[in-house]
Amino acid sequence: MNTQYITGFQHIALPASDLEATIRFYEGLGFETIHRTADPAGTPVAFLRFGSCTIETYQAGETVKKAGAWDHLALDVTDAAALLKEIEAAGCYTVTTSGVEELPFWDKGIRFFKIEGPDKESIEFCEIVK
């Protein structure tokens, strides 16, 4: 396969049982709704962007409501501990890890935590230790 046309991450698709709740959730994390449309069958679709990360979310009726629709969406962060404090202070997100956890990935490891989204998807906030 010739990969010269692949330039990086474009988006991840996320089915939503309540599209408006999904949009509000991700906007609360800093995403911006950049486009709203409908597919040819009339299904509402929204594109949300934060930096170079884009999510395509669409109204899907009933969803899986557990990890597996995707494993997780990882977002790069500069200070996982400080962000976790903000997330906890907001009081509207469910943290699914035991605080900030560490793994020996990359040269000096990573620090991360995860929260649960409105359809039980897992969002990881990952700091690569420098």
Side-chain angles (χ1 to χ4, degrees), residues 10-20 22-23 27 32-49 54-61:
Q10 206 278 336
H11 75 267
I12 188 166
L14 173 65
S17 60
D18 181 336
L19 183 61
E20 296 308 315
T22 297
I23 291 168
E27 285 180 342
E32 176 184 358
T33 300
I34 59 169
H35 185 66
R36 292 191 74 158
T37 189
D39 69 13
T43 303
V45 179
F47 287 86
L48 310 168
R49 180 171 292 152
T54 304
I55 297 171
E56 173 192 14
T57 186
Y58 54 92
Q59 185 65 49

Side-chain angles (χ1 to χ4, degrees), residues 19-85:
L19 183 61
E20 296 308 315
T22 297
I23 291 168
R24 284 190 306 274
F25 178 86
Y26 285 98
E27 285 180 342
L29 294 174
F31 282 77
E32 176 184 358
T33 300
I34 59 169
H35 185 66
R36 292 191 74 158
T37 189
D39 69 13
T43 303
V45 179
F47 287 86
L48 310 168
R49 180 171 292 152
F50 186 84
S52 64
C53 181
T54 304
I55 297 171
E56 173 192 14
T57 186
Y58 54 92
Q59 185 65 49
E62 194 56 43
T63 60
V64 177
K65 300 246 187 251
K66 65 177 184 177
W70 76 33
D71 180 55
H72 69 272
L73 167 68
L75 302 175
D76 193 23
V77 301
T78 58
D79 189 335
L83 179 58
L84 177 58
K85 286 180 185 177

